[in-house]
């Protein structure tokens, strides 16, 4: 066996060898992606110690959305913020855990802007369930760094990805061409390519949503779910239910196995729960590159013009045909 066959392609090698596909990126893109990988390893190391270092406990503060911030959210936020700042590749950041845009000082300011959810699914931490980090990357604008760099439709992303701290640690990213998955080898501390050019299955086999929100759903959701569940008959079970409650982990499982995730708007307020900039946009970009689709109910997530950093939206994300079917139900039942 040749030596080359004994180990896989590392994240850094993968990013570097694809640089020629992005001549406009001038090298900083590779630096940024590899530094996100470094932040992922640092956060993974902390997540693995949850419970041992009392990071389960709450900090007592609340974030901009009025939710209690757990210590691990803060650790992940500070880690990402500091690694990205020092990378020299980033000009502006937005985070779920930061009220305002974070501007990098001029000496370290770079070509990109990044929006991130440092820890998604944090209500699952104390039960040792999969959680993750989600990120969206844009090129900076020519004007002075500020929130406007981040208030752009998701279709302007140049890359997006996530890291899952689960039974293994995986990093998935897209540069707009392919979606590739890397698994952290705890022995060597390297991310190795484990799934190249990921693509959705055209058939939905998994349905994932919080069904206890039924009383607050708009009219289209129940008949739509009945339609999907109606695919099961005496002959075969073609669809099943899986819901983790960590969007990033639900999304990843659905991408790997073929599933549809829904978090409809609340009929009482017309508002969704999930955040556009750092939850829905990056996952929508990944979904589309993988041959899937993402909608807020009345159109493509990536076409929404954000007006605030922490804007919320409804989300339907998965295989194209079933996202389109959901949109037809929205049009018919409201
Ligand atoms: P976060 O932990 O970053 O606040 O996000 C939690 C999100 C998402 O991960 C999950 O799908 C959803 O909230 C779960 O909400 P419900 O408990 O309302 O189902
Ligand atoms: Mn989240
Ligand atoms: Mn979060």
């Amino acid at each position: 066996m040749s030596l080359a066959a004994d180990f896989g392609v590392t994240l850094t090698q993968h990013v570097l060898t694809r640089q020629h596909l992005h001549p406009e990126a001038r090298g900083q893109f590779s630096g940024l992606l590899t530094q996100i990988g470094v932040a992922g390893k640092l956060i993974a190391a902390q997540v693995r110690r949850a419970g041992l270092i009392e990071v389960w406990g709450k900090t007592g503060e609340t974030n901009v959305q009025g939710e209690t911030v757990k210590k691990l959210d803060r650790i992940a936020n500070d880690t990402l913020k500091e690694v990205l700042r020092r990378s020299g590749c980033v000009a502006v950041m937005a985070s779920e855990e930061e009220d305002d845009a974070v501007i990098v000082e001029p000496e370290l300011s770079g070509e990109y802007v990044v929006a991130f959810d440092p820890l998604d699914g944090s209500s699952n931490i104390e039960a040792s369930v999969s959680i993750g980090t989600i990120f969206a990357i844009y090129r900076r604008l020519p004007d002075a760094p500020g929130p406007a760099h981040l208030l752009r439709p998701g279709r302007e992303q140049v890359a997006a990805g996530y890291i899952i701290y689960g039974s293994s640690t995986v990093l998935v990213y897209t540069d707009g061409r392919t979606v590739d998955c890397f698994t952290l080898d705890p022995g060597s501390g390297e991310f190795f390519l484990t799934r190249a050019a990921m693509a959705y299955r055209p058939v939905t086999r998994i349905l994932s949503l919080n069904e206890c929100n039924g009383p607050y759903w708009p009219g289209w959701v129940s008949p739509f779910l009945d339609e999907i569940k109606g695919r099961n008959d005496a002959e075969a079970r073609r669809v099943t239910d899986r819901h983790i409650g960590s969007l990033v982990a639900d999304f990843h499982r659905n991408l790997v196995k073929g599933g549809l995730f829904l978090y409809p708007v609340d009929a009482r307020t017309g508002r969704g729960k999930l955040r556009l900039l750092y939850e829905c946009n990056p996952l929508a970009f990944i979904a589309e590159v993988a041959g899937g689709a993402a909608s807020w109910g009345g159109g493509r997530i990536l076409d929404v013009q954000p007006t605030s950093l922490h804007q919320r939206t409804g989300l339907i994300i998965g295989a194209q045909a079933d996202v389109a079917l959901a949109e037809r139900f929205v049009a018919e039942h409201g």
Side-chain angles (χ1 to χ4, degrees), residues 197-217:
M198 296 175 83
Y200 272 101
R201 292 162 190 267
V203 176
T204 294
R205 304 199 308 190
I206 294 167
L207 196 53
S208 47
L209 78 164
N210 187 340
E211 292 229 30
C212 292
N213 286 336
Y216 322 117
W217 285 337

Side-chain angles (χ1 to χ4, degrees), residues 63 67 73 96-97 117 119-123 210 213 243 245-248 250 261 263 273-275 279:
N63 69 12
E67 297 156 340
D73 288 298
E96 183 192 0
E97 304 302 338
D117 180 351
L119 215 51
D120 176 65
S122 49
S123 69
N210 187 340
N213 286 336
H243 182 238
S246 300
L247 169 67
V248 66
D250 280 307
F261 175 93
Y263 207 121
K273 168 170 183 181
L274 299 173
R275 278 58 59 104
E279 291 181 323

Side-chain angles (χ1 to χ4, degrees), residues 115-179:
F116 53 85
D117 180 351
L119 215 51
D120 176 65
S122 49
S123 69
N124 277 324
I125 296 168
E126 58 196 311
S128 305
V129 173
S130 298
I131 51 179
T133 297
I134 312 175
F135 57 91
I137 302 176
Y138 300 77
R139 285 190 70 78
R140 60 158 296 170
L141 299 170
D143 13 330
H149 288 244
L150 288 151
L151 296 176
R152 296 151 74 179
R155 61 173 182 266
E156 293 185 22
Q157 287 170 97
V158 292
Y162 55 82
I163 303 154
I164 294 180
Y165 316 107
S167 48
S168 58
T169 299
V170 296
L171 184 152
V172 172
Y173 89 94
T174 183
D175 58 1
R177 291 170 188 265
T178 56
V179 178

Side-chain angles (χ1 to χ4, degrees), residues 18-29 112 139 177:
R18 288 164 65 97
Q19 261 188 150
H20 67 282
L21 298 174
H22 304 276
E24 74 289 352
R26 298 198 294 274
Q28 281 200 9
F29 181 73
Y112 292 91
R139 285 190 70 78
R177 291 170 188 265

